[in-house]
Amino acid sequence: MADRCDPPTPLASGRDADIFVIDDRRVLRRYREGGDVAAEAAVMAHVASHGFPVPRVYQARGADLVMERLDGPTMLSAFLAGELDATEAATCLADLHHRLHALPPRLGEGEDDRILHLDLHPENVMLTPRGPVVIDWRNATEGPADLDVALSAVIIAQVAVEEAHPLASSAATLLAAFVGCVGGRVLTTLDQAVAMRRNDPALTSGERERLDDVAALITGLH
């Protein structure tokens, strides 16, 4: 199924990948610019072996990842629909960070290294019958746990500072709740997290220009 052919209409599309339905159990995630999903699949297998909630991986080859098809809304959809309030969503995000960073690192090159998702925000959490499941592990690496927490805050804050964004107000509410859950951990590596986002080639020039406002907003919540 991961062989390249003319695929059906995508189930969903992100900035750099499309998801296609294979059957009622599996989906295919295909990166449009190619690449190798081996490292992503290895991280997912590692965290799954320690009980962390991720989709099951059936096959990883080239730019194609065949995974478990999940039932349920994203955390973002549930939050916007009023099925979760800001405190519940923020608490869930903080708990997922805590659980992830409690796992043993896969590579463990540094004494304080932990597994980092580096894209853990409400669109990458699926609320399934078995509980929240974290998706999209392409950016995963290892490093200081606080960097992962700070980057989640930065990603949410980027929506909050974009005045014309229809979700700006909701993002600001969620950000305040998330910072309230994780406390000062956000500030310890905030500069590094902002620098990482600034160097992200997927960001638009406008998003980069607003990163100073992002840092100011997060700092002001402490």
Side-chain angles (χ1 to χ4, degrees):
M1 180 57 69
D3 289 341
R4 291 206 170 260
C5 57
D6 292 332
T9 302
L11 173 67
S13 294
R15 289 196 181 194
D16 57 2
D18 300 307
I19 297 178
F20 307 92
V21 174
I22 297 176
D23 53 35
D24 60 356
R25 297 185 306 111
R26 298 172 299 164
V27 294
L28 165 65
R29 181 186 178 100
R30 172 168 288 168
Y31 289 103
R32 289 188 289 273
E33 301 300 323
D36 188 352
V37 298
E40 181 177 357
V43 172
M44 293 175 69
H46 175 77
V47 299
S49 72
H50 291 279
F52 192 81
V54 295
R56 180 178 178 182
V57 175
Y58 294 104
Q59 184 184 57
R61 185 171 65 188
D64 293 350
L65 195 59
V66 178
M67 299 179 294
E68 171 189 5
R69 183 176 181 179
L70 301 172
D71 292 323
T74 65
M75 178 184 287
L76 177 61
S77 296
F79 174 55
L80 295 177
E83 297 166 6
L84 286 179
D85 64 26
T87 299
E88 291 169 328
T91 300
C92 182
L93 276 179
D95 180 64
L96 288 168
H97 273 292
H98 176 76
R99 293 168 61 187
L100 179 61
H101 302 149
L103 302 182
R106 187 172 69 92
L107 304 175
E109 296 178 356
E111 182 179 352
D112 296 325
D113 280 357
R114 293 294 181 267
I115 298 169
L116 312 182
H117 184 277
L118 296 185
D119 203 17
L120 185 45
H121 55 78
E123 281 190 287
N124 281 337
V125 179
M126 299 286 293
L127 302 181
T128 75
R130 62 183 168 101
V133 177
V134 179
I135 62 173
D136 195 355
W137 290 79
R138 192 175 204 192
N139 294 336
T141 186
E142 295 185 9
D146 286 356
L147 177 60
D148 212 8
V149 174
L151 202 54
S152 289
V154 167
I155 292 169
I156 297 169
Q158 283 187 270
V159 179
V161 300
E162 188 177 346
E163 294 181 0
H165 199 292
L167 303 183
S169 177
S170 297
T173 301
L174 178 59
L175 176 67
F178 180 68
V179 170
C181 287
V182 299
R185 295 184 62 192
V186 170
L187 295 182
T188 60
T189 55
L190 179 58
D191 290 345
Q192 185 179 352
V194 169
M196 287 181 66
R197 289 298 282 176
R198 200 179 300 277
N199 291 328
D200 187 338
L203 262 62
T204 66
S205 59
E207 288 172 325
R208 289 191 181 89
E209 291 171 359
R210 288 187 288 272
L211 283 171
D212 288 340
D213 294 335
V214 164
L217 174 60
I218 293 171
T219 302
L221 291 172
H222 288 81

